[in-house]
Amino acid sequence: MTIAPEQAAWFHETFGLIADNVEQALLGKRHVIELVLATAVSGGHVLLEDAPGTGKTALARAIGQTIHGTSSRIQFTPDLLPGDVTGITVFDQKSGEFEFHAGPVFANIVLADEINRASPKTQSALLEVMEEGQVTIDGVTRSVGTPFLVLATQNPIEQGGTYRLPEAQLDRFSIKTSIGYPDEAATMRILQGVGTPKGELEAIVGTDTIVAMTELSRSVYVNPLVSDYIMRLVDATRRASEVRLGVSVRGAIALSRLAMTWAAAAGRSYATPDDVRELAVAALAHRLVLEPEAEFDGVTQSAVVNQILLDVPAPRENGVA
């Protein structure tokens, strides 16, 4: 069943209120906030590649406070163990039974700070929970609940003591983006303390509202021509001469779901090719594995996707490509 116009209007209003509230903690970064919120509603996860001090922790905390949910922060280090992320079972001598001590991954918003500093074994501990929303420890499967958003960060400058994220884990992230530094006007407001929230942000919605928005976003109508456009974009990444490994089916699904949420956030009951084009770089670029020669020549993943967007014709409103 397609989302009704009044439901789309409610979605648009609610999405805007959440973004307005979060923006109090991250001035001048409306587009990034909306991208992250759309990913959260779509049931995906975010990879932020940014320099220190750009507000990554503040963004995760602000979203957690705004949706009246729980948030946690994991500082990834080389000596971090998988159990430090997922939790462990401990034997209680008094009761004579094993008790589960939940790790920081059991939260609505999980900030995985500098994820590329942990060993591949610890990074892999996030794979199941990001894909399935659950962890299995000692043969027992436990759900982390909903909504569930992993907001992982990595520093693009420092490479010493880091481990490159494997392609299988990069593919788990719906989008890869960056916050970046604020513009001059926002920086002045921050320095003067104008608009900076004192203490915690007020909770605007409950977690049940986010779950309801997720269900509504799945009802947004996607014209077969729009789905075909996504398929042609993904196929073009696999045939590009600079690319060794193109976008997976998971990447195509992520882009489709994001486009549906993006449309609902705009108050529409249907997705358009423009929604796909606006989200394509964030959703697809990080999934590409470039040929070594292309990397040596300075070709970037984003540049490849942008060129594909120019080369692959988008369907028009009347359905003619």
Side-chain angles (χ1 to χ4, degrees):
M1 185 175 67
T2 306
I3 182 173
E6 58 271 17
Q7 291 175 317
W10 172 83
F11 193 111
H12 169 68
E13 181 182 1
T14 306
F15 191 91
L17 289 174
I18 297 172
D20 289 341
N21 204 58
V22 174
E23 195 174 11
Q24 296 181 65
L26 208 66
L27 297 176
K29 296 297 175 182
R30 179 73 177 206
H31 183 68
V32 175
I33 292 170
E34 290 179 343
L35 268 179
V36 174
L37 289 178
T39 304
V41 172
S42 301
H45 307 286
V46 179
L47 178 61
L48 290 174
E49 190 172 76
D50 244 328
T54 52
K56 299 182 294 291
T57 304
L59 174 59
R61 187 186 302 115
I63 294 175
Q65 293 170 356
T66 299
I67 67 173
H68 196 62
T70 56
S71 60
S72 63
R73 180 177 181 270
I74 309 171
Q75 181 63 56
F76 279 73
T77 56
D79 60 346
L80 192 73
L81 299 175
D84 298 329
V85 176
T86 59
I88 57 174
T89 52
V90 179
F91 183 73
D92 189 335
Q93 293 183 340
K94 291 184 178 180
S95 63
E97 297 178 350
F98 283 94
E99 290 186 356
F100 176 66
H101 291 222
V105 78
F106 285 85
N108 298 123
I109 311 294
V110 178
L111 175 65
D113 211 1
E114 294 189 290
I115 188 174
N116 56 333
R117 289 198 176 276
S119 66
K121 182 177 181 180
T122 301
Q123 290 178 13
S124 66
L126 279 176
L127 287 179
E128 180 189 10
V129 68
M130 289 175 64
E131 184 71 13
E132 307 292 340
Q134 62 187 26
V135 295
T136 302
I137 302 172
D138 295 334
V140 180
T141 301
R142 296 176 172 87
S143 173
V144 296
T146 53
F148 176 64
L149 169 70
V150 173
L151 197 62
T153 73
Q154 60 180 8
N155 188 337
I157 305 301
E158 296 180 17
Q159 300 300 326
T162 63
Y163 300 85
R164 183 171 180 173
L165 293 180
E167 283 71 25
Q169 187 161 343
L170 280 172
D171 205 33
R172 256 63 173 190
F173 291 101
S174 296
I175 67 167
K176 177 185 175 184
T177 186
S178 63
I179 297 175
Y181 294 112
D183 57 25
E184 293 183 2
T187 302
M188 284 297 297
R189 292 178 64 192
I190 293 170
L191 293 176
Q192 295 172 356
V194 178
T196 304
K198 304 298 187 292
E200 291 193 359
L201 294 174
E202 180 184 355
I204 298 297
V205 297
T207 53
D208 55 338
T209 302
I210 302 298
V211 173
M213 293 174 73
T214 300
E215 294 176 355
L216 279 178
S217 69
R218 301 290 169 85
S219 300
V220 170
Y221 176 69
V222 181
N223 189 293
L225 287 172
V226 175
S227 295
D228 177 73
Y229 181 49
I230 294 174
M231 182 191 68
R232 288 187 287 116
L233 289 175
V234 169
D235 185 60
T237 66
R238 300 167 183 166
R239 293 184 287 102
S241 60
E242 307 94 339
V243 177
R244 180 156 54 94
L245 182 65
V247 175
S248 66
V249 175
R250 182 188 288 114
I253 294 172
L255 179 55
S256 179
R257 289 181 176 174
L258 280 167
M260 294 163 77
T261 302
W262 204 252
R268 284 183 278 106
S269 59
Y270 57 92
T272 67
D274 286 340
D275 295 326
V276 175
R277 294 176 64 86
E278 193 167 355
L279 298 162
V281 173
L284 302 182
H286 66 285
R287 305 175 194 272
L288 303 182
V289 178
L290 301 180
E291 293 285 1
E293 296 83 0
E295 288 188 288
F296 183 77
D297 291 338
V299 176
T300 63
Q301 297 159 312
S302 298
V304 172
V305 175
N306 278 317
Q307 185 60 48
I308 288 173
L309 287 171
L310 293 174
D311 295 340
V312 177
R316 299 173 184 171
E317 290 185 5
N318 60 6
V320 180

